[in-house]
Amino acid sequence: MRNVASTAVDRGGYPDTPTPWEREGWRSAALGWVEDGLTAHGLRVSGALRVRLRPWSVLVRVPVADHGAATGRGAVWFKANPPSSAFEGALTAALAHWAPRHVLAPLAVDAGRGWSLLPDGGALFRDVLQRQPVGPEVWEDLLRQYAGLQRELVPRVRELERLGVPSARTAELPYVFEESVAGSPALRPEERARLTALRPRLEDWCGELAALGVPDSLDHVDLHDGQLFNPAPGRFTFFDWGDAAVSHPFCSLRVPARRASDRYGPDVLPRLRDAYLEPWTGAGRTAAELRRAVRLAWRLSALGRARAWGGLFPSAAATAPLTAQSARSLLELAEEPPL
Protein backbone atom coordinates (compact mmCIF):
# COMPACT_ATOMS: atom_id res chain seq x y z
CA MET A 1 0.00 0.00 0.00
CA ARG A 2 2.95 2.33 0.39
CA ASN A 3 2.91 2.79 -3.39
CA VAL A 4 -0.80 3.39 -3.87
CA ALA A 5 -0.95 5.97 -6.66
CA SER A 6 -4.66 6.73 -7.08
CA THR A 7 -5.42 8.63 -3.88
CA ALA A 8 -8.16 11.26 -3.71
CA VAL A 9 -7.33 14.12 -1.32
CA ASP A 10 -9.96 16.43 0.18
CA ARG A 11 -8.59 19.57 1.85
CA GLY A 12 -11.97 21.19 2.51
CA GLY A 13 -11.71 24.91 3.16
CA TYR A 14 -8.02 24.71 4.12
CA PRO A 15 -6.11 24.19 0.85
CA ASP A 16 -2.93 25.88 2.06
CA THR A 17 -2.74 24.51 5.59
CA PRO A 18 0.09 21.96 5.91
CA THR A 19 -0.46 18.65 7.69
CA PRO A 20 1.88 15.71 8.33
CA TRP A 21 0.47 14.02 5.21
CA GLU A 22 2.64 16.28 3.03
CA ARG A 23 5.82 14.72 4.50
CA GLU A 24 6.78 11.64 2.53
CA GLY A 25 8.49 9.92 5.45
CA TRP A 26 5.48 10.42 7.72
CA ARG A 27 3.05 9.28 5.03
CA SER A 28 5.07 6.15 4.28
CA ALA A 29 5.30 5.24 7.97
CA ALA A 30 1.59 5.80 8.51
CA LEU A 31 0.52 3.72 5.52
CA GLY A 32 2.94 0.97 6.50
CA TRP A 33 1.42 0.94 9.99
CA VAL A 34 -2.07 0.71 8.49
CA GLU A 35 -0.99 -2.18 6.28
CA ASP A 36 0.44 -4.05 9.27
CA GLY A 37 -2.77 -3.44 11.21
CA LEU A 38 -4.90 -4.79 8.39
CA THR A 39 -2.75 -7.89 8.06
CA ALA A 40 -3.14 -8.60 11.77
CA HIS A 41 -6.91 -8.75 11.22
CA GLY A 42 -6.80 -10.78 8.01
CA LEU A 43 -7.62 -7.81 5.80
CA ARG A 44 -6.09 -6.34 2.66
CA VAL A 45 -6.49 -3.09 0.74
CA SER A 46 -8.98 -3.44 -2.11
CA GLY A 47 -9.03 -0.02 -3.80
CA ALA A 48 -7.95 3.60 -3.83
CA LEU A 49 -7.56 5.58 -0.64
CA ARG A 50 -9.64 8.66 0.15
CA VAL A 51 -7.80 11.22 2.27
CA ARG A 52 -9.42 14.03 4.24
CA LEU A 53 -6.97 16.67 5.48
CA ARG A 54 -7.94 19.24 8.08
CA PRO A 55 -5.87 21.37 10.48
CA TRP A 56 -7.04 19.09 13.31
CA SER A 57 -6.71 15.61 11.76
CA VAL A 58 -5.63 13.39 8.92
CA LEU A 59 -8.36 10.89 8.04
CA VAL A 60 -7.92 8.14 5.45
CA ARG A 61 -10.66 5.83 4.22
CA VAL A 62 -9.08 2.50 3.28
CA PRO A 63 -11.28 0.07 1.30
CA VAL A 64 -10.62 -3.48 2.43
CA ALA A 65 -11.55 -7.09 1.77
CA ASP A 66 -10.89 -10.29 3.66
CA HIS A 67 -7.80 -12.14 2.47
CA GLY A 68 -8.84 -14.60 -0.20
CA ALA A 69 -12.51 -13.57 -0.09
CA ALA A 70 -14.45 -12.54 -3.16
CA THR A 71 -17.00 -10.67 -1.05
CA GLY A 72 -17.03 -8.92 2.30
CA ARG A 73 -15.61 -5.64 0.99
CA GLY A 74 -15.85 -2.73 3.33
CA ALA A 75 -13.64 0.01 4.70
CA VAL A 76 -11.54 0.93 7.69
CA TRP A 77 -10.43 4.39 8.75
CA PHE A 78 -6.99 5.64 9.70
CA LYS A 79 -6.91 8.78 11.84
CA ALA A 80 -3.92 10.85 12.92
CA ASN A 81 -4.39 13.43 15.66
CA PRO A 82 -2.19 16.43 16.49
CA PRO A 83 -0.25 16.26 19.78
CA SER A 84 -2.98 18.09 21.73
CA SER A 85 -5.52 15.34 20.96
CA ALA A 86 -3.16 12.37 20.60
CA PHE A 87 -5.04 10.80 23.53
CA GLU A 88 -8.01 9.97 21.26
CA GLY A 89 -6.79 6.52 20.22
CA ALA A 90 -6.09 5.38 23.77
CA LEU A 91 -9.40 6.89 24.93
CA THR A 92 -11.32 5.09 22.20
CA ALA A 93 -9.70 1.79 23.13
CA ALA A 94 -10.52 2.32 26.80
CA LEU A 95 -14.12 3.23 26.04
CA ALA A 96 -14.48 0.10 23.93
CA HIS A 97 -13.42 -1.91 26.98
CA TRP A 98 -15.56 -0.02 29.52
CA ALA A 99 -18.71 0.61 27.46
CA PRO A 100 -18.54 -1.46 24.26
CA ARG A 101 -22.17 -1.01 23.24
CA HIS A 102 -21.72 2.76 22.91
CA VAL A 103 -18.47 3.14 20.91
CA LEU A 104 -16.27 1.69 18.18
CA ALA A 105 -13.55 -0.80 19.09
CA PRO A 106 -10.31 0.21 17.30
CA LEU A 107 -8.42 -2.34 15.24
CA ALA A 108 -5.10 -0.78 16.25
CA VAL A 109 -3.84 2.19 18.24
CA ASP A 110 -0.43 3.85 18.45
CA ALA A 111 -0.94 6.20 21.39
CA GLY A 112 2.54 7.67 21.13
CA ARG A 113 2.01 8.87 17.58
CA GLY A 114 -1.69 9.66 17.93
CA TRP A 115 -2.72 7.07 15.32
CA SER A 116 -5.87 4.96 15.26
CA LEU A 117 -7.25 2.34 12.90
CA LEU A 118 -11.02 2.03 13.20
CA PRO A 119 -13.69 -0.18 11.63
CA ASP A 120 -16.54 1.35 9.69
CA GLY A 121 -19.39 2.21 12.05
CA GLY A 122 -22.27 2.00 9.58
CA ALA A 123 -24.62 4.84 8.70
CA LEU A 124 -23.81 8.30 10.01
CA PHE A 125 -26.77 9.84 11.81
CA ARG A 126 -26.35 12.85 9.50
CA ASP A 127 -26.90 10.62 6.47
CA VAL A 128 -29.94 8.99 8.07
CA LEU A 129 -31.41 12.46 8.64
CA GLN A 130 -30.95 13.30 4.97
CA ARG A 131 -32.60 10.24 3.53
CA GLN A 132 -35.63 9.60 5.75
CA PRO A 133 -38.01 11.40 8.10
CA VAL A 134 -36.65 11.49 11.65
CA GLY A 135 -38.64 12.95 14.51
CA PRO A 136 -37.41 14.58 17.72
CA GLU A 137 -38.04 11.36 19.63
CA VAL A 138 -35.00 9.84 17.91
CA TRP A 139 -32.83 12.68 19.24
CA GLU A 140 -34.33 12.07 22.68
CA ASP A 141 -33.25 8.44 22.46
CA LEU A 142 -29.69 9.24 21.42
CA LEU A 143 -29.36 11.79 24.23
CA ARG A 144 -30.58 9.25 26.81
CA GLN A 145 -28.01 6.77 25.53
CA TYR A 146 -25.22 9.32 25.58
CA ALA A 147 -26.12 10.46 29.10
CA GLY A 148 -26.11 6.81 30.16
CA LEU A 149 -22.56 6.48 28.82
CA GLN A 150 -21.50 9.56 30.76
CA ARG A 151 -22.97 8.18 33.99
CA GLU A 152 -21.11 4.91 33.47
CA LEU A 153 -17.86 6.88 33.16
CA VAL A 154 -18.19 8.93 36.35
CA PRO A 155 -16.03 6.46 38.34
CA ARG A 156 -13.42 6.54 35.55
CA VAL A 157 -12.51 10.24 35.54
CA ARG A 158 -9.04 9.74 37.02
CA GLU A 159 -8.35 6.98 34.52
CA LEU A 160 -9.54 9.26 31.73
CA GLU A 161 -7.11 11.94 32.83
CA ARG A 162 -4.27 9.41 33.02
CA LEU A 163 -4.99 8.59 29.37
CA GLY A 164 -4.27 12.23 28.56
CA VAL A 165 -7.84 13.52 28.30
CA PRO A 166 -7.63 17.22 29.25
CA SER A 167 -8.97 18.14 32.65
CA ALA A 168 -11.52 20.95 32.67
CA ARG A 169 -13.38 20.00 35.81
CA THR A 170 -16.16 22.27 37.00
CA ALA A 171 -14.04 23.76 39.77
CA GLU A 172 -11.21 24.45 37.29
CA LEU A 173 -13.28 26.28 34.69
CA PRO A 174 -12.39 29.80 35.93
CA TYR A 175 -8.73 28.97 35.26
CA VAL A 176 -9.62 27.47 31.86
CA PHE A 177 -11.40 30.76 31.15
CA GLU A 178 -8.37 32.84 32.11
CA GLU A 179 -6.02 30.77 29.95
CA SER A 180 -8.40 30.86 27.00
CA VAL A 181 -8.90 34.61 27.11
CA ALA A 182 -5.17 35.29 27.59
CA GLY A 183 -4.26 32.93 24.75
CA SER A 184 -6.77 34.17 22.17
CA PRO A 185 -5.09 36.41 19.57
CA ALA A 186 -8.35 37.09 17.73
CA LEU A 187 -10.15 38.93 20.55
CA ARG A 188 -10.47 42.67 20.00
CA PRO A 189 -9.56 44.88 23.00
CA GLU A 190 -13.19 45.67 23.77
CA GLU A 191 -14.10 41.96 23.59
CA ARG A 192 -11.26 41.05 25.91
CA ALA A 193 -12.39 43.72 28.36
CA ARG A 194 -15.98 42.46 28.21
CA LEU A 195 -14.87 38.92 28.98
CA THR A 196 -12.56 40.00 31.78
CA ALA A 197 -15.48 41.83 33.40
CA LEU A 198 -17.52 38.61 33.17
CA ARG A 199 -15.12 36.58 35.34
CA PRO A 200 -16.81 37.20 38.73
CA ARG A 201 -20.13 35.99 37.34
CA LEU A 202 -18.39 32.98 35.81
CA GLU A 203 -16.96 32.06 39.21
CA ASP A 204 -20.48 32.22 40.65
CA TRP A 205 -21.86 30.00 37.87
CA CYS A 206 -19.12 27.41 38.44
CA GLY A 207 -19.65 27.46 42.20
CA GLU A 208 -23.40 27.01 41.86
CA LEU A 209 -23.01 24.26 39.29
CA ALA A 210 -20.55 22.35 41.48
CA ALA A 211 -22.87 22.74 44.51
CA LEU A 212 -25.71 21.05 42.63
CA GLY A 213 -23.72 17.84 42.99
CA VAL A 214 -23.63 16.29 39.51
CA PRO A 215 -20.13 14.77 39.26
CA ASP A 216 -17.71 15.47 36.44
CA SER A 217 -17.47 12.94 33.63
CA LEU A 218 -16.48 12.78 29.96
CA ASP A 219 -17.62 15.70 27.82
CA HIS A 220 -17.49 14.97 24.09
CA VAL A 221 -17.55 18.76 23.45
CA ASP A 222 -18.69 18.44 19.80
CA LEU A 223 -21.46 15.83 19.70
CA HIS A 224 -23.26 16.73 16.48
CA ASP A 225 -25.04 14.53 13.94
CA GLY A 226 -21.80 13.85 12.06
CA GLN A 227 -20.09 12.46 15.18
CA LEU A 228 -22.30 9.46 15.79
CA PHE A 229 -23.40 6.43 13.86
CA ASN A 230 -26.97 5.17 13.63
CA PRO A 231 -26.41 1.71 12.15
CA ALA A 232 -29.86 0.42 13.16
CA PRO A 233 -33.06 1.95 14.54
CA GLY A 234 -32.59 2.84 18.20
CA ARG A 235 -28.85 2.12 18.15
CA PHE A 236 -26.21 4.85 18.34
CA THR A 237 -22.43 4.68 18.39
CA PHE A 238 -20.47 7.73 19.53
CA PHE A 239 -17.06 8.52 18.05
CA ASP A 240 -14.54 11.28 17.25
CA TRP A 241 -13.32 12.01 20.78
CA GLY A 242 -10.44 14.31 19.86
CA ASP A 243 -12.05 17.39 21.45
CA ALA A 244 -13.11 15.57 24.62
CA ALA A 245 -12.40 16.73 28.16
CA VAL A 246 -13.12 15.68 31.71
CA SER A 247 -15.65 18.32 32.69
CA HIS A 248 -19.24 18.78 33.76
CA PRO A 249 -21.18 16.22 31.73
CA PHE A 250 -24.07 18.58 31.00
CA CYS A 251 -21.73 20.72 28.88
CA SER A 252 -22.24 18.09 26.17
CA LEU A 253 -25.91 18.93 25.65
CA ARG A 254 -25.47 22.28 23.92
CA VAL A 255 -24.18 21.08 20.53
CA PRO A 256 -26.74 18.32 19.78
CA ALA A 257 -29.60 20.38 21.22
CA ARG A 258 -28.70 23.29 18.96
CA ARG A 259 -28.60 21.01 15.91
CA ALA A 260 -32.01 19.60 16.76
CA SER A 261 -33.38 23.09 17.41
CA ASP A 262 -32.17 24.20 13.97
CA ARG A 263 -34.09 21.27 12.50
CA TYR A 264 -37.33 21.29 14.48
CA GLY A 265 -37.47 24.75 16.05
CA PRO A 266 -36.69 25.95 19.60
CA ASP A 267 -39.83 24.41 21.07
CA VAL A 268 -38.05 21.04 20.95
CA LEU A 269 -35.41 22.09 23.48
CA PRO A 270 -37.28 21.35 26.76
CA ARG A 271 -38.14 17.80 25.71
CA LEU A 272 -34.56 17.12 24.61
CA ARG A 273 -33.25 18.51 27.90
CA ASP A 274 -35.62 16.33 29.91
CA ALA A 275 -34.74 13.22 27.89
CA TYR A 276 -31.04 13.88 28.48
CA LEU A 277 -31.67 14.32 32.22
CA GLU A 278 -33.55 11.05 32.68
CA PRO A 279 -30.41 8.98 33.42
CA TRP A 280 -29.28 11.64 35.92
CA THR A 281 -32.40 11.61 38.09
CA GLY A 282 -32.23 10.31 41.64
CA ALA A 283 -29.44 10.80 44.17
CA GLY A 284 -31.62 13.35 45.93
CA ARG A 285 -31.52 15.91 43.10
CA THR A 286 -34.81 17.50 42.09
CA ALA A 287 -35.92 18.09 38.51
CA ALA A 288 -35.63 21.84 39.11
CA GLU A 289 -32.03 21.46 40.29
CA LEU A 290 -31.08 19.36 37.28
CA ARG A 291 -32.67 21.86 34.92
CA ARG A 292 -30.80 24.67 36.62
CA ALA A 293 -27.58 22.70 36.17
CA VAL A 294 -28.30 22.35 32.45
CA ARG A 295 -28.74 26.11 32.15
CA LEU A 296 -25.43 26.80 33.88
CA ALA A 297 -23.53 24.12 31.95
CA TRP A 298 -25.02 25.31 28.65
CA ARG A 299 -23.33 28.67 29.12
CA LEU A 300 -20.04 27.24 30.42
CA SER A 301 -19.80 24.75 27.55
CA ALA A 302 -18.53 27.65 25.43
CA LEU A 303 -15.17 27.17 27.16
CA GLY A 304 -14.85 23.63 25.85
CA ARG A 305 -15.64 24.75 22.33
CA ALA A 306 -13.09 27.59 22.56
CA ARG A 307 -10.39 25.18 23.72
CA ALA A 308 -11.24 22.65 21.00
CA TRP A 309 -10.51 25.15 18.22
CA GLY A 310 -6.92 25.23 19.45
CA GLY A 311 -6.38 21.49 18.98
CA LEU A 312 -4.47 21.73 15.70
CA PHE A 313 -1.31 20.42 14.10
CA PRO A 314 1.56 22.76 15.07
CA SER A 315 1.91 24.04 11.50
CA ALA A 316 -1.77 25.07 11.52
CA ALA A 317 -1.92 26.61 14.99
CA ALA A 318 -2.12 30.21 13.75
CA THR A 319 -4.82 29.58 11.12
CA ALA A 320 -6.82 32.82 11.29
CA PRO A 321 -10.36 31.42 10.72
CA LEU A 322 -9.87 28.93 13.54
CA THR A 323 -8.54 31.44 16.06
CA ALA A 324 -11.56 33.58 15.18
CA GLN A 325 -13.86 30.61 15.85
CA SER A 326 -12.27 30.15 19.26
CA ALA A 327 -12.82 33.81 20.08
CA ARG A 328 -16.47 33.61 19.01
CA SER A 329 -16.97 30.64 21.29
CA LEU A 330 -15.60 32.60 24.24
CA LEU A 331 -17.97 35.47 23.53
CA GLU A 332 -20.92 33.05 23.73
CA LEU A 333 -20.36 32.99 27.49
CA ALA A 334 -22.28 36.25 27.64
CA GLU A 335 -25.33 34.83 25.84
CA GLU A 336 -28.42 33.82 27.76
CA PRO A 337 -29.16 30.07 27.46
CA PRO A 338 -32.35 29.32 25.50
CA LEU A 339 -33.83 27.08 28.21
Side-chain angles (χ1 to χ4, degrees), residues 280-320:
W280 297 100
T281 56
R285 290 182 288 268
T286 67
E289 288 172 332
L290 289 171
R291 289 173 179 175
R292 176 60 179 165
V294 164
R295 185 173 173 83
L296 292 164
W298 183 289
R299 193 191 290 266
L300 293 167
S301 68
L303 292 171
R305 295 296 306 131
R307 181 192 59 81
W309 285 111
L312 311 175
F313 290 114
S315 57
T319 303

Side-chain angles (χ1 to χ4, degrees), residues 91 95 98-99 148-157 160 216-218 241:
L91 171 60
L95 293 177
W98 296 332
L149 169 62
Q150 288 182 298
R151 283 213 65 172
E152 287 184 48
L153 294 174
V154 166
R156 304 278 189 182
V157 292
L160 291 169
D216 292 318
S217 183
L218 185 65
W241 298 95

Side-chain angles (χ1 to χ4, degrees), residues 175-187 192 306 310 317 323 326-327 330:
Y175 307 105
V176 174
F177 169 78
E178 287 182 347
E179 291 175 357
S180 299
V181 172
S184 176
L187 286 170
R192 194 177 302 276
T323 58
S326 180
L330 286 172

